[in-house]
């Protein structure tokens, strides 16, 4: 594994929240950070799993914190940010990886535009070619754009000035889901300069079949309600119906896949 001392460190602290993830996935995420062409100043793992993560195989340079179980990604990320010492911070989920030049590409974009935050493109890992899930841009990365759908504000595809992160309040611990979109919205509303990188990429794993928190419509509604003044009550209600319909479709798809037409459930 590449050590942080093998190259000139960047002013970026990387926080990896982890929660009951397989050890191999966590190690792969850490490898993708330590293997950066422009390595971070530090890597901080914040564990809020039911069972403590297996830290065997982690290099001594990686800081590990064990906090209360299941407190949520927002609290875990904020905890790591509070202990960070870099001028910039970035977050990576424990089952995802970055492109090898992720940090350098983001820093290059920040320097070019004197920006305070940069978002990258998001890809889904595939058996052959990764699939582009989102490419945020100045055209789609707006308050209304983020409220209507996730155009590319995730918890692992941005680098932000730490001062700005705390100025906007960090991640909202009261949001169980969509806390990443909420942070993006507050950065927009702060008036800070945001830029986007098409070269920097984050690669997310496809769903393993388990139900995701983001599939719960009532929890997704919380974000809409928080910013109802920006959408208007009519749009909030319309989007709520759309989210409900999407949830129904997902549940029906599960039933059809489990019990194909003509099959009998006993």
């Amino acid at each position: 594994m590449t050590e942080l001392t093998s190259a000139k460190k960047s002013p970026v602290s990387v926080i990896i929240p982890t929660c009951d993830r397989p050890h191999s996935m966590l190690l792969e995420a850490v490898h993708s950070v330590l293997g950066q062409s422009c390595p971070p100043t530090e890597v901080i793992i914040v564990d809020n799993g039911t069972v403590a993560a297996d830290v065997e195989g982690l290099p001594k340079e990686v800081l590990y914190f064990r906090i209360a179980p299941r407190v949520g990604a927002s609290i875990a990320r904020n905890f790591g940010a509070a202990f960070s010492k870099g001028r910039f911070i970035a977050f990576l989920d424990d089952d995802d990886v970055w492109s090898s030049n992720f940090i350098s590409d983001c820093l290059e974009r920040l320097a070019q535009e004197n920006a305070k935050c940069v978002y990258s493109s998001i890809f889904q890992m595939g058996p052959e070619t990764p699939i582009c899930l989102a490419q945020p841009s100045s055209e789609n990365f707006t308050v209304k754009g983020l409220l209507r759908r996730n155009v590319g504000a995730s918890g692992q595809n941005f680098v932000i000035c730490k001062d700005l992160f705390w100025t906007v309040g960090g991640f909202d611990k009261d949001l169980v889901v969509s806390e990443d979109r909420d942070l993006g919205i507050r950065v927009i509303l702060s008036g800070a300069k945001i830029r986007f990188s098409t070269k920097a990429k984050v690669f997310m794993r496809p769903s393993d079949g388990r139900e995701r928190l983001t599939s719960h419509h009532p929890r997704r509604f919380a974000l809409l309600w928080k910013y109802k003044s920006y959408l208007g009550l009519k749009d909030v209600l319309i989007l709520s119906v759309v989210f409900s319909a999407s949830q129904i479709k997902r549940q029906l798809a599960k039933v059809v896949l489990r019990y194909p037409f003509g099959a009998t459930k006993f």
Side-chain angles (χ1 to χ4, degrees):
M1 183 179 290
T2 304
E3 294 187 356
L4 293 179
T5 54
S6 63
K8 183 179 179 181
K9 298 178 183 178
S10 71
V12 180
S13 293
V14 178
I15 295 97
I16 303 178
T18 187
C19 183
D20 299 326
R21 192 70 68 183
H23 182 60
S24 59
M25 290 186 183
L26 176 59
L27 278 181
E28 190 174 355
V30 172
H31 270 286
S32 82
V33 176
L34 296 182
Q36 290 288 302
S37 60
C38 182
T41 191
E42 61 186 348
V43 179
I44 301 172
I45 294 177
V46 184
D47 181 8
N48 76 122
T50 304
V51 179
D54 180 4
V55 297
E56 184 178 352
L58 293 177
K60 61 182 180 180
E61 293 89 352
V62 175
L63 301 176
Y64 172 84
F65 294 96
R66 171 73 172 157
I67 61 174
R70 295 286 177 172
V71 294
S74 291
I75 290 179
R77 290 171 181 146
N78 290 344
F79 182 95
F83 275 91
S84 67
K85 59 184 180 183
R87 188 159 59 94
F88 296 92
I89 52 178
F91 304 87
L92 180 63
D93 286 356
D94 56 359
D95 59 339
D96 301 326
V97 298
W98 282 337
S99 53
S100 59
N101 295 321
F102 181 89
I103 291 178
S104 62
D105 288 337
C106 287
L107 289 178
E108 179 184 16
R109 198 77 177 93
L110 287 168
Q112 287 175 346
E113 303 286 344
N114 193 28
K116 298 293 185 181
C117 182
V118 61
Y119 278 86
S120 78
S121 52
I122 303 174
F123 285 77
Q124 178 176 287
M125 299 180 191
E128 297 179 0
T129 304
I131 302 169
C132 185
L133 297 179
Q135 179 58 69
S137 66
S138 56
E139 288 75 28
N140 61 23
F141 203 87
T142 63
V143 173
K144 287 190 175 182
L146 286 169
L147 288 174
R148 291 193 169 99
R149 65 186 183 91
N150 196 337
V151 297
S154 192
Q156 65 278 69
N157 74 317
F158 68 96
V159 175
I160 187 171
C161 177
K162 187 164 64 176
D163 288 343
L164 174 59
F165 178 79
W166 289 121
T167 296
V168 301
F171 285 98
D172 186 344
K173 63 181 179 60
D174 294 324
L175 288 177
V176 180
V177 299
S178 299
E179 75 285 347
D180 41 15
R181 291 159 64 188
D182 170 65
L183 180 68
I185 289 171
R186 283 183 282 118
V187 171
I188 293 172
L189 294 176
S190 74
K193 185 180 289 187
I194 306 171
R195 289 298 179 261
F196 308 93
S197 173
T198 56
K199 293 193 296 182
K201 299 177 178 66
V202 59
F203 298 96
M204 302 174 63
R205 295 181 190 276
S207 173
D208 58 6
R210 293 178 296 180
E211 191 171 19
R212 302 174 66 94
L213 281 174
T214 48
S215 68
H216 290 279
H217 155 63
R219 290 171 172 172
R220 294 175 67 185
F221 181 76
L223 180 69
L224 298 179
W225 190 253
K226 181 176 181 178
Y227 295 100
K228 57 184 180 296
S229 61
Y230 293 92
L231 280 176
L233 186 57
K234 180 180 178 181
D235 279 351
V236 169
L237 293 175
I238 290 174
L239 287 172
S240 178
V241 171
V242 170
F243 289 163
S244 294
S246 298
Q247 177 69 1
I248 291 172
K249 286 181 180 179
R250 277 193 292 268
Q251 295 302 324
L252 285 175
K254 290 180 181 179
V255 172
V256 171
L257 288 173
R258 186 173 299 177
Y259 308 112
F261 293 112
T264 303
K265 177 184 177 182
F266 294 97

